[in-house]
């Protein structure tokens, strides 16, 4: 199963990706987290792994990939960055970080001011997800960048299911309307995960959200999660809400 995680900035996408990956690993499922957010620097810490090298470098680097895209656009041709299908065991080992039963690949980061746009990362992320061939037990979790650009890049189209993280904010509720329409447009099932909640907030979010029937999980505001985020530490604790979420995803 390929799961894309989206939501507004700071809503808890990386936190959910890490908690979910850990939970699947505890259940002995092969798990790959794909970091498609070119700005996020801390996902590996939440997973307790080293930072992987940018997968972009395996394909010759951002300049090379960018030039291929430009040439293809000029020739009105399609861009094929990856030949054939990859399984989780085909991943180039030097570009995979591993820890606690979870593998992590990072498509690429913006490293320097003025280095150009992130379009090559978007193209590679989509093709990488598309070309992954999964076994029945395999789980791929793609952490996306904040907002909706990844929908424009076609990344969500490669997912079997999209989880949108909503924190208690007006912006999350409004973004849910937009994302719900986009997910319907590409025909990928979308579920909402309410995060950083307390009982009062949950009630208000249920009233304000675009389609409450899509809510499948509520993760409370937890000091342990906040502390791990501040200290750059791995999220090791088990959370009942995440166990429930996995079961909902399995029953789909
Ligand atoms: N349930 C929670 N309880 C307490 N703190 C939380 C919870 N979920 C997330 N946080 C905290 O909220 C902050 C943002 O979380 P996170 O980095 O996962 O968000 P994000 O959506 O991935 O952010 P970005 O848009 O920058 O990639 C972090 O400090 C994290 O520790």
């Amino acid at each position: 199963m390929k799961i894309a995680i989206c939501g507004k900035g700071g809503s808890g996408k990386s936190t959910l990706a890490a908690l979910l990956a850990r939970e699947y690993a505890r259940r002995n499922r092969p798990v790959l987290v794909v970091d498609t957010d070119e700005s996020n620097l801390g996902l590996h810490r939440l997973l307790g792994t080293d930072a992987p090298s940018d997968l972009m470098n395996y394909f010759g680097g951002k300049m090379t990939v960018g030039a291929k895209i430009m040439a293809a656009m000029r020739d009105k041709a399609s861009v094929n960055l990856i030949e054939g299908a990859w399984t989780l065991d085909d991943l180039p080992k030097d570009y995979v970080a591993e820890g606690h039963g979870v593998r992590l690949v990072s498509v690429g980061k913006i490293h320097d001011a003025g280095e150009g746009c992130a379009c090559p990362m978007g193209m590679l992320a989509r093709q990488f997800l598309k070309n992954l061939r999964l076994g029945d037990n395999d789980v791929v979790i793609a952490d996306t960048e904040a907002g909706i650009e990844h929908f424009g890049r076609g990344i969500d189209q490669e997912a079997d299911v999209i989880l949108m993280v909503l924190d208690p904010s007006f912006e999350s509720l409004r973004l849910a309307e937009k994302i719900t329409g986009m997910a319907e447009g590409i025909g990928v099932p979308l579920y909402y995960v309410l995060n950083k909640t307390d009982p009062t907030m949950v009630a208000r979010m249920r009233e304000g959200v675009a389609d409450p029937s899509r809510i499948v999980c509520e993760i409370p505001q937890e000091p342990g999660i906040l502390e791990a985020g501040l200290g750059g530490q791995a999220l090791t604790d088990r959370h009942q809400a995440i166990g429930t979420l996995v079961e909902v995803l399995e029953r789909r």
Side-chain angles (χ1 to χ4, degrees), residues 62 87 130 159:
K62 195 176 156 199
T87 70
K130 187 185 179 79

Side-chain angles (χ1 to χ4, degrees), residues 136-205:
D136 288 345
N137 277 328
D138 294 347
V139 181
V140 169
I141 300 170
D143 187 14
T144 66
E145 66 177 304
I148 51 173
E149 191 173 345
H150 46 91
F151 275 94
R153 291 171 169 180
I155 291 173
D156 304 79
Q157 232 157 306
E158 306 307 332
D160 300 309
V161 57
I162 302 169
L163 297 178
M164 178 181 178
V165 185
L166 289 91
D167 62 4
S169 68
F170 182 78
E171 203 183 328
S172 272
L173 297 178
R174 294 291 70 84
L175 187 62
E177 287 172 18
K178 183 81 186 164
I179 285 183
T180 302
M182 287 181 143
E184 282 173 357
I186 57 174
V188 179
L190 168 75
Y191 299 101
Y192 303 148
V193 173
L194 307 188
N195 190 28
K196 308 188 194 183
T197 62
D198 63 28
T200 312
M201 290 299 173
V202 166
R204 290 186 58 188
M205 289 171 84

Side-chain angles (χ1 to χ4, degrees), residues 27-29 34 49 62-63 94 146 160 162 210 222 231 251:
R27 295 171 187 229
N28 295 319
R29 302 281 294 272
V34 184
T49 72
K62 195 176 156 199
M63 295 289 278
D94 290 349
D160 300 309
I162 302 169
E222 298 227 358
R251 281 200 300 272

Side-chain angles (χ1 to χ4, degrees), residues 31-54:
V31 191
L32 172 70
V33 176
V34 184
D35 186 357
T36 74
D37 180 352
E38 57 275 347
S39 309
N40 164 9
L41 300 176
L43 180 56
H44 67 283
R45 290 181 177 274
L46 297 179
L47 290 166
T49 72
D50 293 334
S53 304
D54 290 357

Side-chain angles (χ1 to χ4, degrees), residues 7-16 19 37 39-40 46 143-147 165 195-197 219-230 235:
K8 88 170 205 0
S11 58
K13 298 177 292 299
S14 298
T15 300
L16 177 64
L19 292 173
D37 180 352
S39 309
N40 164 9
L46 297 179
D143 187 14
T144 66
E145 66 177 304
V165 185
N195 190 28
K196 308 188 194 183
T197 62
I219 308 173
Q221 172 78 26
E222 298 227 358
I225 295 180
L226 194 58
E227 274 167 34
L230 177 61
L235 290 168

